Amino acid sequence: MSKQPLTAVIVDDEPLALEGLKLRLEKIPELNVIAQASDGDQAIQLCHELSPDVLFLDLQLPGLNGIEVVQALQSDTLPMIVFVSAYGEFALDAFELNAIDYVLKPANLGRLKKTVERILARRTPENIDKEQAKEKYKLLKALGESSGVAISELEEWLSSDKPLPSAYCQELVIKNSDNEKVFLPVKDIRWIDAAGDYMCVHTDKETHIVRITMKKLENQLDDKVFKRIHKSTLVNVNCIKSVKALRNSESVLELGDNVQLKVSRNYSSTIQQLVESKLF
């Protein structure tokens, strides 16, 4: 007889982030999303009414923030807490409240699967060497504080030869030409330009339209990889083939396939630094 899936409530005040999290979690058979909320008061009410196994909780919410929600639930049956945030600096506060994980958003499907595996493992504490786990946790806290990376990702890193995992967005949730929501790997993006309130996200094969501000999207991307070359343009430096200098400190980037992007004078220093460091 198969085990019942974990029940989960998800909380985020940003509709796109909430839907993206729900879409990913629905692909994990061991977990069932039973409700969602957009603020702290709703989250508390749902926990009282539904008694979920897990609460996926954004830290920055209107009204009560994520930590205050957990504090309000402490006297009741508290679900396992997974904090979801765009900022790594709150991780230590989160774990002081016994959160089972801290996920930097938007988390990809593989990352969330690891979180669910962690939750399931927590249900069998007899398999855990508590003293060893305590010492390991001290090390992970120190690493997490300096890197902004979730503890469960650091656990995997400690047992491998891989470099420290990135705290930046690895996927975007976008709509394709058939109006279906898909996950676009960030590494596939060549450049991004603004079109009013939308961003045009260009890959080798197609262009995706995403409703988001340039500033917000830029903050989600690794600034060592995606550089601003114009007030309305970001480029993936790994896709640059060559740089052609123009007059007035301007230049043109060649990305191949007849794609040329103009670098405005205000961002010429960015490209100069790339040339000097030979990043392409």
Side-chain angles (χ1 to χ4, degrees):
M1 185 173 179
S2 61
K3 294 182 180 180
Q4 291 294 320
L6 298 164
T7 57
V9 169
I10 58 176
V11 188
D12 199 305
D13 65 319
E14 297 181 9
L16 283 177
L18 190 65
E19 185 150 6
L21 179 60
K22 182 181 178 183
L23 284 170
R24 291 177 172 91
L25 291 176
E26 285 177 342
K27 295 180 181 294
I28 303 175
E30 295 87 356
L31 185 136
N32 179 27
V33 177
I34 58 174
Q36 57 192 57
S38 58
D39 62 48
D41 290 329
Q42 290 178 5
I44 293 170
Q45 182 179 350
L46 287 172
C47 286
H48 288 162
E49 293 175 355
L50 302 175
S51 298
D53 296 316
V54 191
L55 181 63
F56 287 84
L57 183 62
D58 187 15
L59 275 166
Q60 295 188 315
L61 296 167
L64 297 176
N65 64 36
I67 290 176
E68 290 169 334
V69 168
V70 175
Q71 290 170 338
L73 289 169
Q74 287 284 7
S75 60
D76 301 290
T77 303
L78 187 68
M80 289 178 282
I81 303 296
V82 176
F83 281 111
V84 183
S85 176
Y87 306 96
E89 62 265 28
F90 301 109
L92 297 183
D93 290 338
F95 279 99
E96 286 178 359
L97 292 173
N98 296 317
I100 197 166
D101 208 349
Y102 188 100
V103 178
L104 286 166
K105 68 179 183 180
N108 59 37
L109 180 59
R111 174 67 180 82
L112 291 169
K113 284 182 177 179
K114 292 174 186 175
T115 295
V116 173
E117 289 171 3
R118 183 181 177 88
I119 293 169
L120 293 172
R122 179 70 66 90
R123 286 187 147 191
T124 56
E126 64 274 13
N127 295 330
I128 300 173
D129 184 330
K130 293 184 179 180
E131 290 304 314
Q132 183 180 10
K134 187 183 295 184
E135 292 304 313
K136 184 178 180 181
Y137 178 70
K138 290 179 182 177
L139 173 60
L140 291 173
K141 280 182 70 173
L143 288 169
E145 187 174 12
S146 62
S147 68
V149 177
I151 282 184
S152 59
E153 288 189 46
L154 288 167
E155 285 181 319
E156 180 185 6
W157 170 75
L158 280 176
S159 60
S160 71
D161 296 325
K162 297 178 182 178
L164 192 65
S166 171
Y168 292 99
C169 171
Q170 301 300 309
E171 291 178 330
L172 296 181
V173 180
I174 55 95
K175 287 185 178 180
N176 62 17
S177 56
D178 297 322
N179 207 35
E180 298 173 335
K181 291 180 180 176
V182 298
F183 303 116
L184 174 65
V186 166
K187 62 181 179 60
D188 292 345
I189 299 173
R190 300 177 72 194
W191 84 97
I192 301 168
D193 53 13
D197 294 331
Y198 295 85
M199 294 296 113
C200 300
V201 180
H202 304 272
T203 67
D204 281 332
K205 298 180 180 179
E206 55 190 332
T207 297
H208 303 279
I209 308 300
V210 182
R211 188 180 179 87
I212 190 173
T213 65
M214 174 65 80
K215 183 177 180 181
K216 190 169 185 178
L217 182 55
E218 185 177 16
N219 287 340
Q220 294 180 15
L221 301 173
D222 188 345
D223 58 5
K224 294 183 179 64
V225 177
F226 287 88
K227 297 291 186 181
R228 185 82 74 99
I229 60 170
H230 188 276
K231 66 180 181 179
S232 60
T233 309
L234 287 168
V235 65
N236 183 338
V237 300
N238 296 319
C239 296
I240 301 174
K241 305 298 183 184
S242 64
V243 180
K244 180 181 179 181
L246 301 176
R247 295 180 179 178
N248 301 321
S249 299
E250 294 182 337
S251 56
V252 170
L253 306 182
E254 296 277 355
L255 271 62
D257 301 323
N258 297 317
V259 175
Q260 296 182 328
L261 301 178
K262 188 174 182 180
V263 182
S264 71
R265 183 168 45 185
N266 291 338
Y267 295 94
S268 60
S269 61
T270 299
I271 297 306
Q272 182 61 35
Q273 290 171 5
L274 290 176
V275 171
E276 291 174 355
S277 60
K278 299 180 181 180
L279 288 179
F280 55 89

